[in-house]
Amino acid sequence: MVVLSGGTAANSLVDVFNELIEKNSCSLSYIIPISDNGGSSSELIRVFGGPGIGDIRSRLVRLIPPANAGVLHLFNHRLARASVAASAEFFTLLDLTSPLYHPIPTPQALLIRSILSHLHLEILKRTRSPSSSFNFQSASIGNLFLTGARLFSGSFESAIYLFAIIGGVDETRTAVLPAVVSNFTHHISAGLEDGTTITGQNEISHPSAPTALPESSDAITHSSPVPTDPPNDLHPYSHPHHKKNPSFHLEDATLPGSLPTLRPSFLTSSKSHEAPLPSKIDRIWYINPYGQEMHPSPNPNALAAIRGSDAIIYSIGSLYTSLAPILILNGVGEAVARGPRFKVLILNGSLDRETGGYRASDFVKAVVEGCLTHSSSSFSSSSAGLASPGQRALWEQGPANVAVTVRRYVTHVIHIDHPTAPVVDRGVLGSWGVECVRCYGRKGEDGKMRYDEKGLGQALGVIFGRMDGKERGERSRRNTIEGGMGRGGGLAE
């Protein structure tokens, strides 16, 4: 089984997925994007470059078993919010005086300290006081460890492996796979229907003012146009924004001439109370540091996992900044179409900045268009991203043709029936051959609806063909099958 997701939101469903693979005696692969450039990851990217690791770390920590609670607490801990206090706290990790080490066996603690010491050395090598220094404010220790391990080994995959080994995560049962394997940063841009371009995942999903660098309206914009050509003069301070704003006169891992919107840290980004986008998202694509569109290759292990799975789940989270960066990678759509029998979209319990006003069919459209990005289908286009003219032509075809294409990528939709959740237009989905399963939800502490874990597990069991050892088709008080279910069987991977 394969789950495509971001970090935080889907962590709430990990127990559901664990129970599902136990019942079906199969393995599970999480495929997670590396385009996040907000939070403490943004400071690591600014100083060291490299992939956005926050979502990878978040899932790895969530998978650490209770027996390793000490390591879980350490890797999940964030340093103090004040920079000076955070720096002092980091040094207690280097001299082994931090109380966070107390419940951790000495061999593991010394290995963790060694990696963090290597990271400290790399920080010192890059320090150019007072203009360039690392800000430890609110830094995740797990992120610091992953970065130190990557810099030490020269391999992102090796860093993930070491993190999993120390945390006791059984990768033969549950693997965490980055969508792209790289030691370089991968950013995304969003094109809105009104022609606006938003650069960087943080600006798309939860924009905030820069933290590590002084805020400047000249330097930081929330909707900057993407240049068609890189600057002719690649001197570090050649960009006009750099000349106007001395805050950019520093040396870090950002390539000379890079887009200024990709340079600052965003340590105080918030995922609540965000202003809605001025227009719907029309397209998502990857960019290089100069803003030019690029087409990174997907992780071969991720493609192999999709091809070899019997079921793929598009999990809850950000549609355009968590799922789309995976789906638009070359080969992912083809793997989804030819591999899994079951392709299940779990709708969010509420709408967000990216999906204001969306119905269930809009979510399905976005998934299908993402999968068609590099597909050989006549509805695809050589242009990367979502909703090219060729892809949009799909929805102008007759219902039978649309249904054939849609079911290659989405066969089922699971949803919560609640006023805060996306409206489920069952008639449209039914005409596309997509079957709906309604689940009961519960209200979280933030007032938003969450899936009832037992009900969601039963719903997935009904779809996949096995539920508590019973035959598929038995209805539960926690979920309702809307429409007939086809033949099915157990999972195999």
Side-chain angles (χ1 to χ4, degrees):
M1 186 169 73
V2 169
V3 173
L4 308 187
S5 77
T8 305
N11 280 340
S12 64
L13 305 184
V14 164
D15 290 338
V16 175
F17 299 142
N18 284 344
E19 184 177 355
L20 195 63
I21 63 174
E22 286 290 341
K23 289 180 179 179
N24 290 278
S25 300
C26 65
S27 61
L28 168 62
S29 295
Y30 290 101
I31 302 178
I32 298 175
I34 62 166
S35 50
D36 184 15
N37 68 327
S40 65
S41 295
S42 64
E43 179 69 355
L44 291 167
I45 291 172
R46 184 185 71 84
V47 175
F48 299 106
I53 58 175
D55 289 344
I56 297 285
R57 182 267 311 163
S58 177
R59 185 57 40 78
L60 285 168
V61 168
R62 182 63 179 81
L63 292 171
I64 294 176
N68 286 346
V71 175
L72 187 157
H73 183 56
L74 172 67
F75 283 158
N76 203 39
H77 181 75
R78 289 189 179 273
L79 302 180
R81 293 185 178 183
S83 297
V84 174
S87 181
E89 186 179 2
F90 177 74
F91 276 96
T92 67
L93 294 167
L94 300 183
D95 63 16
L96 291 177
T97 61
S98 171
L100 293 169
Y101 283 130
H102 292 171
I104 301 176
T106 299
Q108 290 171 287
L110 291 176
L111 180 55
I112 293 170
R113 194 270 295 264
S114 297
I115 295 297
L116 295 178
S117 296
H118 181 76
L119 176 71
H120 182 229
L121 174 61
E122 295 294 330
I123 289 173
L124 292 177
K125 288 161 60 176
R126 290 163 173 79
T127 298
R128 301 290 185 272
S129 184
S131 62
S132 297
S133 60
F134 186 81
N135 187 350
F136 285 97
Q137 175 186 344
S138 300
S140 161
I141 295 177
N143 285 354
L144 297 176
F145 179 87
L146 269 178
T147 300
R150 181 181 66 81
L151 294 172
F152 175 78
S153 65
S155 166
F156 187 25
E157 288 181 301
S158 294
I160 294 172
Y161 174 76
L162 183 59
F163 191 112
I165 288 294
I166 292 178
V169 178
D170 182 2
E171 289 197 301
T172 63
R173 175 178 177 269
T174 309
V176 178
L177 305 174
V180 176
V181 177
S182 176
N183 282 321
F184 297 97
T185 306
H186 286 65
H187 291 289
I188 58 174
S189 278
L192 307 188
E193 290 182 351
D194 66 0
T196 301
T197 296
I198 305 179
T199 301
Q201 177 173 318
N202 185 75
E203 292 294 288
I204 299 169
S205 59
H206 39 273
S208 59
T211 301
L213 301 176
E215 184 176 356
S216 167
S217 59
D218 280 336
I220 308 301
T221 60
H222 294 292
S223 55
S224 301
V226 176
T228 55
D229 297 301
N232 293 324
D233 181 4
L234 295 184
H235 186 275
Y237 310 137
S238 64
H239 197 286
H241 286 307
H242 298 175
K243 295 176 182 178
K244 295 179 182 179
N245 191 340
S247 69
F248 287 97
H249 288 207
L250 52 81
E251 183 176 326
D252 54 27
T254 309
L255 293 175
S258 299
L259 290 178
T261 50
L262 301 179
R263 189 161 199 168
S265 295
F266 301 96
L267 299 179
T268 58
S269 59
S270 171
K271 296 185 179 181
S272 61
H273 307 296
E274 301 136 345
L277 290 171
S279 178
K280 286 186 176 182
I281 293 177
D282 183 60
R283 194 163 96 86
I284 293 286
W285 65 94
Y286 282 91
I287 59 170
N288 64 21
Y290 306 115
Q292 295 172 306
E293 186 167 341
M294 57 182 288
H295 311 297
S297 298
N299 181 353
N301 291 329
L303 287 181
I306 295 173
R307 294 186 184 113
S309 69
D310 207 28
I312 186 168
I313 296 174
Y314 308 103
S315 188
I316 60 173
S318 300
L319 175 63
Y320 288 106
T321 54
S322 292
L323 292 182
I326 304 172
L327 300 177
I328 65 175
L329 293 168
N330 188 19
V332 169
E334 292 286 352
V336 171
R338 299 181 180 182
R341 286 186 292 162
F342 307 107
K343 299 141 188 185
V344 182
L345 171 62
I346 305 178
L347 288 182
N348 294 333
S350 60
L351 298 171
D352 57 20
R353 169 179 163 86
E354 300 175 16
T355 56
Y358 270 39
R359 293 173 173 264
S361 61
D362 295 313
F363 282 82
V364 172
K365 279 184 177 181
V367 170
V368 172
E369 289 170 355
C371 289
L372 285 172
T373 297
H374 292 284
S375 172
S376 59
S377 166
S378 60
F379 299 117
S380 68
S381 168
S382 60
S383 172
L386 294 170
S388 69
Q391 291 160 337
R392 281 191 291 263
L394 164 64
W395 312 111
E396 300 172 3
Q397 304 297 308
N401 290 337
V402 173
V404 168
T405 301
V406 169
R407 283 188 58 84
R408 295 180 71 203
Y409 307 107
V410 180
T411 59
H412 297 79
V413 167
I414 296 178
H415 67 96
I416 296 175
D417 192 5
H418 190 269
T420 65
V423 173
V424 179
D425 39 354
R426 299 175 183 84
V428 175
L429 295 179
S431 71
W432 295 345
V434 176
E435 303 193 47
C436 301
V437 178
R438 184 178 66 219
C439 284
Y440 284 105
R442 54 182 175 79
K443 186 172 291 187
E445 294 179 359
D446 57 1
K448 296 182 179 179
M449 291 299 294
R450 301 284 187 269
Y451 279 92
D452 175 86
E453 292 184 5
K454 185 175 181 179
L456 178 59
Q458 289 176 337
L460 289 168
V462 166
I463 293 171
F464 297 151
R466 192 180 299 175
M467 182 177 65
D468 296 329
K470 301 176 183 179
E471 289 300 319
R472 193 174 87 169
E474 180 176 333
R475 300 194 180 198
S476 164
R477 294 175 60 187
R478 287 184 169 84
N479 59 74
T480 303
I481 306 168
E482 301 167 334
M485 305 294 293
R487 292 181 303 165
L491 291 174
E493 177 173 285

